[in-house]
Amino acid sequence: QLRPVESGGGLVQPGGSLRLSCATPGFPLRMYTVGWFRQAPGKEREGVSCISSSARGQGYADAVKGRFTISRDNAKDTVSLQMTSLKLDDTAVYFCAVSVESMPNICTILDEGRYQYWGRGTQVTISS
């Protein structure tokens, strides 16, 4: 079964950077739309960023625009989320989600229901 696997979480000081990666072992991630979501303690899960299968469609939550960058590495068949200028409010479990719907040039982080497969999450903690 398709199961996204996240990596790259950890503990970093405010202002620091982290790079998260998502892969789908045994399945071609380059064919799918990928979304990153996060859930902070006591809060609902929220969309962070997404990238379509062609990479032409990308989206970011207002809270991370200008600080996070999503990208594909088709040679490695991974999707990465480069996070910079990290803030305390970025502390959360980050989830990679995959949509197998045919939408090569668009993506959304406003509708979790568009994503059929979810990873188990990776913890990102921002603390001084």
Side-chain angles (χ1 to χ4, degrees):
Q1 183 177 355
L2 195 157
R3 167 81 77 170
V5 178
E6 305 95 341
S7 61
L11 172 65
V12 67
Q13 292 184 340
S17 299
L18 276 176
R19 187 178 184 90
L20 305 183
S21 290
C22 178
T24 49
F27 293 86
L29 187 60
R30 61 191 175 277
M31 301 288 290
Y32 309 132
T33 293
V34 175
W36 283 99
F37 295 79
R38 67 186 182 186
Q39 186 166 22
K43 295 186 178 181
E44 293 188 355
R45 190 161 58 190
E46 62 178 358
V48 175
S49 183
C50 64
I51 188 166
S52 67
S53 57
S54 72
R56 294 191 187 97
Q58 296 184 17
Y60 296 93
D62 288 343
V64 307
K65 278 181 182 176
R67 299 189 298 121
F68 291 11
T69 303
I70 195 168
S71 62
R72 289 188 173 274
D73 185 336
N74 286 340
K76 295 182 179 179
D77 209 18
T78 59
V79 168
S80 294
L81 185 68
Q82 179 69 46
M83 307 186 295
T84 63
S85 301
L86 284 163
K87 305 176 181 179
L88 297 176
D89 287 349
D90 294 319
T91 295
V93 177
Y94 284 70
F95 299 90
C96 175
V98 168
S99 174
V100 298
E101 296 180 8
S102 179
M103 43 183 189
N105 297 314
I106 61 172
C107 67
T108 179
I109 54 172
L110 299 179
D111 183 0
E112 290 189 7
R114 301 297 294 270
Y115 295 86
Q116 297 82 32
Y117 301 97
W118 291 77
R120 294 179 177 174
T122 185
Q123 178 69 46
V124 171
T125 302
I126 315 304
S127 177
S128 55

